[in-house]
Amino acid sequence: QKEVEQNSGPLSVPEGAIASLNCTYSDRGSQSFFWYRQYSGKSPELIMSIYSNGDKEDGRFTAQLNKASQYVSLLIRDSQPSDSATYLCAVIRAGGTSYGKLTFGQGTILTVHP
Amino acid sequence: ETGVTQSPTHLIKTRGQQVTLRCSSQSGHNTVSWYQQALGQGPQFIFQYYREEENGRGNFPPRFSGLQFPNYSSELNVNALELDDSALYLCASSLKVGSGQAIYGYTFGSGTRLTVV
């Protein structure tokens, strides 16, 4: 079982729709959760972080965390063509030599078509 | 406030050669982590440096080594390059406080694209 798994893509949505990206993680010691956006050939850019159960909203983005289910998601409302990118889910666990290490999922490619 | 800068942006090496990649951390940050991202995959953790010492390592062989300097900049060295080492190498800086038990502000550089032929 992979430490962080994302829903298989690619995901294609029409402009203005809601894009839903999902991620599960295996390590119950994970304490911090991140969504990164990565355009082709570029480095990852942090778009959302979440640390406690529930929803966190920032503009068109909403992150949802459920630690009991070991599940984190990202909703993008009113999707725009400029949102087309690879979205990476990443987690950090507490303690030990792995502390501060980001563990990434394989990424989900999102395409928003006009 | 400067961001994380990496050099070079691209390079091509021959199998068996050695390579050094460089990273300047963001102002105020004291920790540098290195990641390898193969095409179509998520970044994989190589190692982290804090207070000029390796502070955690992923599943990478010893031919991957690093340094952190007093100004918190860092180098990644890879010896005996293999074709599978072709990837985007990412450096990320962050701030550890409180005996290293809290970490803030993970910021990635733009990466170095390494091609091994």
Side-chain angles (χ1 to χ4, degrees):
Chain A
Q1 181 186 12
K2 291 184 179 179
E3 291 184 71
V4 179
E5 289 202 61
Q6 298 185 232
N7 52 324
S8 58
L11 178 65
S12 181
V13 300
E15 185 174 356
I18 296 175
S20 177
L21 303 162
N22 303 315
C23 174
T24 56
Y25 59 94
S26 60
D27 187 350
R28 287 195 174 274
S30 301
Q31 63 165 184
S32 305
F33 306 87
F34 306 91
W35 283 99
Y36 285 85
R37 177 175 63 198
Q38 187 175 30
Y39 294 113
S40 181
K42 303 296 184 181
S43 63
E45 171 195 8
L46 180 67
I47 53 172
M48 288 290 283
S49 58
I50 188 166
Y51 306 97
S52 55
N53 282 329
D55 294 0
K56 179 181 178 182
E57 187 174 316
D58 183 1
R60 297 186 295 112
F61 299 96
T62 299
Q64 300 173 315
L65 175 62
N66 183 326
K67 290 186 178 180
S69 300
Q70 294 173 247
Y71 175 90
V72 58
S73 67
L74 179 70
L75 298 177
I76 306 174
R77 292 181 301 280
D78 187 25
S79 296
Q80 301 297 310
S82 59
D83 295 327
S84 298
T86 297
Y87 288 80
L88 296 161
C89 173
V91 306
I92 290 179
R93 68 158 294 154
T97 58
S98 63
Y99 194 77
K101 158 194 158 184
L102 278 170
T103 300
F104 285 88
Q106 76 277 25
T108 299
I109 298 172
L110 171 67
T111 301
V112 181
H113 52 87
Chain B
E1 178 179 281
T2 59
V4 179
T5 58
Q6 292 187 243
S7 63
T9 54
H10 297 84
L11 75 165
I12 299 173
K13 289 287 188 177
T14 302
R15 189 172 50 184
Q17 284 188 314
Q18 179 266 344
V19 69
T20 298
L21 310 182
R22 295 178 174 83
C23 172
S24 295
S25 61
Q26 181 168 309
S27 177
H29 285 181
N30 57 14
T31 303
V32 174
S33 304
W34 287 91
Y35 293 81
Q36 179 197 67
Q37 187 176 23
L39 202 60
Q41 303 295 317
Q44 298 292 312
F45 177 74
I46 302 175
F47 44 55
Q48 181 183 93
Y49 277 82
Y50 172 61
R51 291 182 177 174
E52 301 178 47
E53 291 188 357
E54 189 178 288
N55 189 43
R57 189 178 184 93
N59 293 325
F60 282 83
R63 60 189 184 83
F64 285 77
S65 63
L67 287 171
Q68 186 182 32
F69 300 100
N71 66 353
Y72 306 119
S73 65
S74 178
E75 287 181 355
L76 164 65
N77 299 291
V78 187
N79 293 321
L81 283 167
E82 301 177 359
L83 297 179
D84 285 348
D85 295 333
S86 296
L88 179 67
Y89 287 85
L90 296 162
C91 166
S93 74
S94 52
L95 176 65
K96 278 195 176 184
V97 296
S99 303
Q101 294 308 304
I103 191 161
Y104 301 98
Y106 239 96
T107 304
F108 280 92
S110 55
T112 295
R113 172 72 62 187
L114 172 64
T115 302
V116 183
V117 297

